[in-house]
Amino acid sequence: MEIGESSESPEGKKKSKSKTPRKPKDSVLKQKSPAEFFADNKNIAGFDNPGKCLYTTVRELVENALDSAESISKLPIVEITIEEIVRSKFNSMIGLAEHERVDEELYDDFESAKAREKRLAKEARIQEIQAKNANLGKKVKEPVASKAMRGRGETSYYRVTCKDNGKGMPHDDIPNMFGRVLSGTKYGLKQTRGKFGLGAKMALIWSKMSTGLPIEITSSMKGQNYTSFCRLDIDIHRNIPHIHVHEKQDKKERWHGAEIQIVIEGNWTTYRSKILHYMRQMAVITPYAEFLFRFLSDAPDKNVTVKFARRTDIMPPVPLETKYHPSAVDLLLIKRLIAETSKQNLLQFLQHEFVNISKSHAERLIGEMGPDFSHKMLVKSLTSQQIVRIHQLFRQAKFDDPSGDCLSPAGEYNLRLGIIKELHPDMVATYSGSGFATCSVLKYLKATPFLSKLESVLVEKMLSKYIPNVTGAIYDVLKEMSHLHASKRKRYANEDAEVLNKVSNHIITRETLGEKLAQHVEQVDYEMALEYATQSGVNEEPRENIYIQTLEGESKFVDFQSPVFVFRLFQ
């Protein structure tokens, strides 16, 4: 062996050779667009599964339609149609040729001959048992129809169309209103049914993910001599609209509003009841709106048409845009308001950009901020430290609560009408007030038996049959409360304490309470009769007491009573 020559064999050299460790790849910073984020997390917006996606799409389109009509004080007319699209028709829409199965065992709904024989035998046994029970006179359950086995790939598609008579959309804004997530008209500080306008965009994202088909929007505004038509989908990765068609068409009818049509994957079978229940709920809380709902299918027995008629033409007032409450703002919001304000000095900024800050209040706040602040200092010259001082004072100072004038509640009248129209209950109880007291029973009592102010409205004549139970329940609560220690009873207002004192002193008893409730029910019945007569065009006439001479001897009779008269039928 030569000097310097290695004594290791080639095999040994190969084994002893060490592997060079892999260098980890540099991490790459990635960004997601808003549309991509919501596509990956669609459950946040209520798009969890195909059935819920169909339900949420209907809900978002209906509520957008109501907002649009209410924004121009127009009595809403909303038409919603769900059209079932079978797979063959969907394939035709996207230009996909029908393909017959070649390898049946490859599919999830494949049923072997042995499995089919076993299923048919089981069905035969069930039918035999039902026949025996029928011969014995036993109650026979309706046979459950065997569901056709559906594979995971057997999807259902639906074309959802929503048409309204709202204000419509400006022609140039339509692409961004539907094809760009986190852009919309609902970012002002004003009451709306949605905050970000995300729902309709999520329906478009779901359409893109499940069918690949674009959305179609037709819109027209008052005073326009054309109708806008737009067909688009969304570039999810870039969060921009992908426009197929965007044009102005001749206006063929005097209509303003919007019509939106979208094709999505869904499940009508499992969410049918939820969708119909939602439409009924909307009819209850918006009795001033007219809804027409249709479900269309190739199978006529599956078709559904429901019309929810308008009950009243009294609408809630249009909600007003308001300003921020000083105790609810943060540093970023204060900086944004400073950047956007048209006011010059600090005094004007505080007085005009926030609610509940009068001129005198603003002067006191500025005086409290310290020597570096003055009434006439330029608001846009404020330093970051000075803005922090303003924010700190806003968090510590005392301000009046927001007035709530900017809100637009449905109202007690509309709520009562909606409940009566759709639910037809035996009893309706609605409440209207600035807020709920510690004990709502006391407010009820102040309103009914013992105070003339009617804060709570009880309607429907059938209420009278509930008087004994209601009387007992309310009196037991009052009796329990009247035994409270004097220190705990101080929390109640004077009128409330007076009611409790009357219970303690037996001035209010179970019997007197029942009598007062009965009188109240009778009065409300009479008022409802007058309301009905007024709406029917019948004027109230002075009532006279008419006395009918009694018949001699015992007579059997039945009384038919109403708030206006009593009709006695002798047998």
Side-chain angles (χ1 to χ4, degrees):
M1 181 179 290
E2 298 291 335
I3 297 174
E5 186 177 356
S6 172
S7 61
E8 291 184 10
S9 64
E11 290 79 4
K13 286 183 180 179
K14 190 173 181 181
K15 289 181 180 179
S16 63
K17 188 177 181 180
S18 61
K19 293 183 178 180
T20 305
R22 290 184 180 181
K23 186 179 180 180
K25 291 184 178 181
D26 293 334
S27 59
V28 179
L29 181 65
K30 294 183 178 181
Q31 268 188 320
K32 281 187 177 181
S33 73
E36 197 172 5
F37 171 81
F38 283 108
D40 293 341
N41 302 276
K42 56 185 181 294
N43 59 299
I44 294 176
F47 286 74
D48 301 61
N49 54 65
K52 195 169 182 182
C53 288
L54 180 63
Y55 167 79
T56 306
T57 297
V58 170
R59 179 170 179 165
E60 294 293 343
L61 295 181
V62 167
E63 293 181 8
N64 284 350
L66 289 172
D67 278 342
S68 179
E70 291 172 359
S71 67
I72 57 173
S73 299
K74 188 76 175 177
L75 290 169
I77 301 175
V78 181
E79 299 178 13
I80 188 83
T81 304
I82 302 176
E83 179 186 354
E84 186 178 34
I85 301 175
V86 296
R87 187 178 61 176
S88 59
K89 185 176 180 180
F90 175 77
N91 289 345
S92 176
M93 289 169 58
I94 63 174
L96 179 64
E98 282 295 309
H99 178 75
E100 294 185 2
R101 296 183 180 184
V102 178
D103 188 351
E104 287 286 349
E105 294 185 14
L106 185 66
Y107 294 88
D108 183 58
D109 61 352
F110 171 72
E111 186 180 31
S112 65
K114 186 175 181 179
R116 183 173 182 274
E117 182 180 351
K118 186 176 180 181
R119 176 175 59 83
L120 293 176
K122 182 179 179 181
E123 291 176 358
R125 288 196 300 272
I126 293 174
Q127 291 176 0
E128 183 180 353
I129 293 171
Q130 289 178 335
K132 289 181 179 179
N133 289 339
N135 291 332
L136 295 173
K138 295 182 179 180
K139 187 177 181 180
V140 180
K141 293 183 180 180
E142 289 292 328
V144 180
S146 58
K147 296 181 180 179
M149 298 184 65
R150 295 183 62 174
R152 290 187 297 270
E154 189 74 15
T155 53
S156 298
Y157 302 99
Y158 301 90
R159 180 186 286 112
V160 182
T161 305
C162 183
K163 184 177 182 180
D164 63 62
N165 63 334
K167 69 177 182 179
M169 293 166 279
H171 179 80
D172 295 335
D173 293 346
I174 293 176
N176 283 331
M177 291 179 75
F178 286 89
R180 193 185 298 270
V181 174
L182 300 185
S183 66
T185 60
K186 296 188 176 183
Y187 288 99
L189 203 61
K190 185 171 74 169
Q191 174 188 328
T192 58
R193 289 180 173 84
K195 179 64 178 173
F196 306 112
L198 182 63
K201 298 180 181 68
M202 276 304 305
L204 176 55
I205 290 175
W206 174 243
S207 174
K208 177 90 171 181
M209 296 173 70
S210 62
T211 70
L213 292 175
I215 189 173
E216 292 186 355
I217 305 107
T218 305
S219 174
S220 182
M221 302 183 73
K222 279 186 176 181
Q224 286 183 346
N225 58 2
Y226 63 88
T227 298
S228 300
F229 177 77
C230 188
R231 183 184 297 119
L232 61 87
D233 60 45
I234 184 171
D235 186 328
I236 293 178
H237 301 293
R238 298 167 62 197
N239 190 33
I240 60 173
H242 176 213
I243 302 172
H244 299 242
V245 179
H246 188 201
E247 62 186 12
K248 296 178 180 178
Q249 301 176 347
D250 293 336
K251 196 169 186 176
K252 298 179 181 179
E253 57 178 332
R254 295 182 61 186
W255 165 75
H256 59 81
E259 182 176 17
I260 300 167
Q261 188 176 104
I262 188 168
V263 179
I264 60 172
E265 181 185 347
N267 190 330
W268 167 255
T269 304
T270 57
Y271 272 78
R272 175 183 184 273
S273 61
K274 288 184 175 64
I275 292 173
L276 292 175
H277 181 64
Y278 166 74
M279 295 303 302
R280 194 179 190 190
Q281 285 180 320
M282 294 307 295
V284 168
I285 65 175
T286 54
Y288 51 87
E290 178 182 308
F291 297 97
L292 177 61
F293 176 85
R294 288 184 292 245
F295 177 81
L296 305 178
S297 171
D298 290 342
D301 59 325
K302 293 175 63 177
N303 291 348
V304 176
T305 300
V306 183
K307 183 175 182 180
F308 300 93
R310 178 182 296 119
R311 175 66 185 264
T312 177
D313 58 1
I314 298 177
M315 292 180 63
V318 177
L320 303 175
E321 189 161 354
T322 188
K323 298 174 184 177
Y324 289 95
H325 194 275
S327 64
V329 296
D330 54 39
L331 278 172
L332 289 177
L333 183 52
I334 294 175
K335 289 180 179 180
R336 196 191 86 193
L337 293 175
I338 290 174
E340 296 176 354
T341 186
S342 60
K343 304 305 176 184
Q344 298 295 319
N345 59 52
L346 180 58
L347 179 66
Q348 294 172 338
F349 172 73
L350 296 178
Q351 185 179 349
H352 294 283
E353 295 295 342
F354 301 94
V355 295
N356 295 359
I357 298 183
S358 63
K359 183 178 180 180
S360 59
H361 196 181
E363 291 172 346
R364 292 176 60 192
L365 289 171
I366 294 172
E368 186 65 24
M369 290 175 189
D372 295 335
F373 296 84
S374 67
H375 298 179
K376 295 184 178 180
M377 71 183 300
L378 296 178
V379 67
K380 295 189 185 294
S381 68
L382 290 169
T383 65
S384 297
Q385 292 80 5
Q386 289 173 323
I387 295 175
V388 170
R389 174 60 186 141
I390 294 174
H391 179 241
Q392 290 176 348
L393 184 58
F394 278 176
R395 297 289 296 272
Q396 297 169 351
K398 181 171 63 176
F399 299 95
D400 291 338
D401 293 333
S403 67
D405 293 340
C406 61
L407 299 179
S408 176
E412 182 183 357
Y413 175 79
N414 279 338
L415 179 60
R416 179 164 64 93
L417 281 181
I419 292 173
I420 294 172
K421 176 173 74 80
E422 294 300 327
L423 305 181
H424 311 292
D426 289 342
M427 181 192 81
V428 178
T430 57
Y431 174 83
S432 177
S434 57
F436 291 100
T438 303
C439 180
S440 57
V441 173
L442 287 176
K443 270 204 169 182
Y444 170 80
L445 286 171
K446 288 191 295 178
T448 49
F450 304 108
L451 290 183
S452 59
K453 182 180 177 183
L454 189 61
E455 295 176 357
S456 178
V457 179
L458 301 175
V459 295
E460 293 289 330
K461 288 182 288 184
M462 291 298 290
L463 180 62
S464 58
K465 70 180 181 181
Y466 298 103
I467 287 178
N469 292 335
V470 173
T471 300
I474 294 177
Y475 186 78
D476 289 343
V477 172
L478 289 175
K479 193 173 181 181
E480 186 71 24
M481 293 175 66
S482 67
H483 294 155
L484 290 174
H485 191 270
S487 61
K488 293 185 178 180
R489 287 171 60 174
K490 290 181 179 178
R491 72 182 69 172
Y492 302 112
N494 293 335
E495 301 94 333
D496 301 339
E498 183 182 351
V499 171
L500 295 179
N501 289 333
K502 289 183 178 180
V503 173
S504 299
N505 298 326
H506 304 289
I507 299 174
I508 297 177
T509 64
R510 193 183 302 266
E511 291 72 26
T512 58
L513 180 59
E515 292 173 3
K516 292 290 185 180
L517 286 174
Q519 293 173 10
H520 174 67
V521 170
E522 183 180 354
Q523 178 63 25
V524 170
D525 285 348
Y526 174 63
E527 291 171 357
M528 287 186 63
L530 290 183
E531 180 183 347
Y532 175 80
T534 302
Q535 293 178 353
S536 304
V538 180
N539 296 324
E540 181 189 12
E541 298 292 341
R543 292 185 295 170
E544 298 181 14
N545 293 327
I546 301 177
Y547 299 94
I548 302 177
Q549 187 176 1
T550 60
L551 299 176
E552 295 181 358
E554 294 185 358
S555 301
K556 294 182 179 180
F557 56 85
V558 178
D559 281 351
F560 298 92
Q561 301 185 15
S562 84
V564 182
F565 66 90
V566 177
F567 181 79
R568 177 166 292 179
L569 177 64
F570 291 92
Q571 299 178 349

